[in-house]
């Protein structure tokens, strides 16, 4: 049996050997030096002046002084002396000065090369990769951190018709996908079974405009949960969707309709039955106990201005209520508010149309004589003429009117007021300065 081990030259304990503890301690000492070998320096030729216990150097080709004659060996400072060990091929040692791991080869030491991680066929972290998924990670989370200011995750495809996306799965079946699939438009798709897919949102690559099932599909799409596009329900549109049945309409939003003689007049109660024009409709609702308890509609006449509203309660629409405004009233020469259809204020030298425009032509013919052309007849219902009064309520002028239907002209004469078994016309006179005569006409037909 040999006296020492073949690789580390550890001395063996022999039968009937005296002082066996010495041999055993020498073997432990040698193991302490060589196992987990860490070297202070490589290719060293000059011994340090003050070596520390356990310090090891890998000697170069021309060692001097106490190292002379031990080229290529390991020099270990132990028990106040240098102990020399011949390294064997394959031993590894850590260079403490650089942190580099080195291996003993024939003729010297060389750095242990790290594995080449470029052009790997695949990487599996806590799992196996395959030909389709060459990077596979099985983990509760994956962290991609910044180095510096930020971090970009780049997904590239070869051409426009290809797909680059993030796919979200349940039990390996697709449920959601976002990216550019088959085009450069960005889309978000969802599926309940991995087979039938719906495009929830898509953004045009050129315009940035949005489309998809998450948006309203028509101008009055009332599907719960959809996002309203500009223009739908009249939001941001020049005119809202056209209402076809006012009484059946129960959606919130801004709408439009046609009144009077238009062929497209909506069904149901018309807020402006005498108007031959367009009106705007604003609708809303309030809930009570989860039910649609109250609905309301506000209609605004456009061609002929007007404002009306009504409320729906317990499934029944109330009557339209007209609101008085400058569009359907006038203040007469005496300061009273009066109902207006088309109103014209006749002065001594001009005319004025404060509410519904008539575009009448004014002409003063003589003292107390005026002609208005391009006008309809005076109102067939309600009041026609209102004259200015003094502080005691006495009329300041007497008014006679004569209408020529063929010419569409109204001749107006104003005179002083006299009494002849009743109020009558006296000498012609002009309308007093700063005062006027109110003339109310029928709504013109088209």
């Amino acid at each position: 049996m040999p006296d020492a081990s073949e690789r580390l030259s550890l001395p063996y304990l022999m039968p009937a050997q005296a002082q066996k503890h010495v041999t055993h301690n020498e073997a432990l000492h040698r193991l302490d030096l060589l196992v987990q070998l860490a070297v202070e320096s490589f290719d060293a030729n000059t011994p340090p002046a003050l070596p520390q216990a356990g310090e090891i150097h890998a000697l170069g080709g021309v060692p001097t002084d106490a190292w002379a004659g031990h080229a290529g060996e390991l020099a270990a400072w132990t028990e106040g002396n240098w102990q020399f060990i011949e390294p064997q091929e394959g031993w590894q040692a850590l260079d403490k000065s650089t942190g580099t791991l080195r291996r003993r080869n024939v003729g010297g030491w060389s750095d242990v090369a790290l594995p080449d991680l470029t052009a790997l066929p695949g990487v599996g972290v806590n799992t196996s990769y395959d030909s389709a998924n060459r990077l596979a990670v099985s983990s509760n989370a994956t962290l991609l951190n910044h180095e510096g200011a930020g971090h970009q995750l780049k997904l590239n495809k070869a051409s426009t018709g290809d797909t680059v996306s993030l796919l979200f799965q349940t039990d390996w079946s697709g449920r959601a996908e976002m990216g550019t699939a088959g085009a450069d438009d960005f889309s978000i798709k969802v599926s309940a079974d991995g087979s039938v897919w719906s495009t929830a949102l898509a953004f045009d690559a050129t315009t940035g405009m949005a489309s998809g099932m998450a948006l309203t599909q028509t101008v009055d799409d009332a599907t719960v949960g959809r996002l309203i596009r500009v223009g739908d329900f009249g939001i941001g549109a020049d005119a809202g969707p056209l209402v076809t049945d006012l009484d059946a309409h129960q959606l919130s939003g801004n709408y439009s309709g046609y009144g009077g003689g238009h062929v497209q007049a909506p069904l149901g109660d018309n807020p402006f039955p005498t108007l031959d024009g367009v009106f705007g409709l604003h609708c809303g609702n309030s809930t009570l106990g989860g039910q649609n308890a109250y609905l309301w509609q506000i209609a605004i006449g456009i061609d002929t201005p007007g404002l009306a509203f009504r409320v729906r309660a317990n499934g029944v629409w109330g009557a339209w209520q007209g609101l008085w405004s400058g569009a359907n009233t006038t203040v007469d020469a005496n300061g009273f508010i009066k109902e207006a259809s088309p109103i014209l204020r006749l002065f001594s030298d001009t005319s004025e149309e404060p509410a519904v425009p008539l575009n009448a032509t004014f002409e003063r013919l003589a003292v107390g004589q005026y002609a208005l052309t391009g006008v309809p007849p005076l109102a067939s219902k309600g009041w026609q003429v209102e004259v200015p009064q003094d502080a005691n309520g006495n009329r300041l002028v007497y008014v006679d009117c004569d209408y020529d239907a063929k010419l569409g002209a109204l001749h107006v004469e104003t005179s002083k007021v006299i009494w002849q078994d009743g109020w009558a016309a006296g000498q012609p006179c002009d309308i007093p300065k700063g005062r006027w005569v109110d003339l109310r006409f029928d709504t013109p037909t088209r």
Side-chain angles (χ1 to χ4, degrees), residues 79-94:
E79 297 182 351
N81 294 292
W82 290 105
Q83 180 178 345
F84 299 97
I85 303 167
E86 181 72 29
Q88 298 183 25
E89 184 179 353
W91 286 14
Q92 292 185 352
L94 176 69

Side-chain angles (χ1 to χ4, degrees), residues 42-351:
F42 282 85
D43 295 324
N45 289 307
T46 303
L50 298 172
Q52 301 297 315
E55 187 174 313
I56 301 176
H57 296 268
L59 304 186
V62 286
T64 62
D65 299 330
W67 292 351
H70 296 282
E73 297 182 11
L74 295 173
W77 180 259
T78 177
E79 297 182 351
N81 294 292
W82 290 105
Q83 180 178 345
F84 299 97
I85 303 167
E86 181 72 29
Q88 298 183 25
E89 184 179 353
W91 286 14
Q92 292 185 352
L94 176 69
D95 187 342
K96 295 173 67 175
S97 63
T98 63
T100 303
L101 185 64
R102 310 192 75 177
R103 179 185 292 112
R104 178 69 179 186
N105 301 314
V106 176
W109 295 88
S110 62
D111 292 346
V112 175
L114 295 175
D116 186 3
L117 299 180
T118 60
L120 295 176
V123 175
V125 179
N126 199 34
T127 188
S128 299
Y129 70 88
D130 54 39
S131 59
N133 302 286
R134 297 194 177 184
L135 172 61
V137 179
S138 179
S139 172
N140 292 329
T142 300
L143 173 64
L144 301 175
N145 194 23
H146 70 89
E147 182 184 28
H151 183 90
Q152 284 186 328
L153 177 63
K154 299 179 180 179
L155 305 177
N156 184 52
K157 63 181 184 179
S159 63
T160 297
D162 296 325
T163 294
V164 58
S165 66
L166 294 177
L167 180 63
F168 302 85
Q169 298 180 318
T170 296
D171 194 22
W172 308 110
S173 178
R175 292 297 182 266
E177 183 177 16
M178 59 189 298
T180 57
D184 284 339
D185 301 333
F186 185 84
S187 63
I188 301 174
K189 301 179 180 180
V190 292
S191 174
D193 57 10
S195 298
V196 179
W197 290 81
S198 298
T199 300
L201 275 176
F203 301 93
D204 187 276
T206 302
T207 65
M209 299 296 288
S211 61
M213 298 303 295
L215 306 176
T216 47
Q217 304 299 295
T218 62
V219 293
D220 54 359
D221 179 0
T223 305
V224 175
R226 280 184 170 153
L227 305 175
I228 299 179
R229 301 173 303 171
V230 172
D232 290 351
F233 293 95
I235 305 300
D238 291 338
L242 184 64
V243 176
T244 58
D245 189 332
L246 285 169
D247 292 346
H249 186 83
Q250 299 181 25
L251 297 177
S252 299
N254 298 317
Y255 301 86
S256 62
Y258 297 102
H262 279 279
V263 176
Q264 297 169 295
L267 301 174
D269 189 15
N270 195 322
F272 301 110
T274 62
L275 297 185
D276 189 21
V278 181
F279 65 87
L281 184 68
H282 174 72
C283 305
N285 60 55
S286 63
T287 58
L288 182 64
Q291 305 276 335
N292 280 338
Y294 297 97
L295 306 173
W296 63 86
Q297 295 177 340
I298 300 174
I300 303 175
I302 297 175
D303 280 5
T304 304
L307 183 64
F309 74 94
R310 67 174 177 171
V311 175
R312 181 183 177 92
N314 300 319
V316 178
W317 283 110
W320 284 101
Q321 304 295 323
L323 299 181
W324 298 112
S325 70
N328 53 14
T329 64
T330 186
V331 178
D332 67 18
N334 305 301
F336 293 101
I337 295 178
K338 290 186 174 293
E339 180 183 359
S341 48
I343 298 292
L344 185 143
R345 292 175 177 175
L346 181 64
F347 296 85
S348 62
D349 55 357
T350 187
S351 64

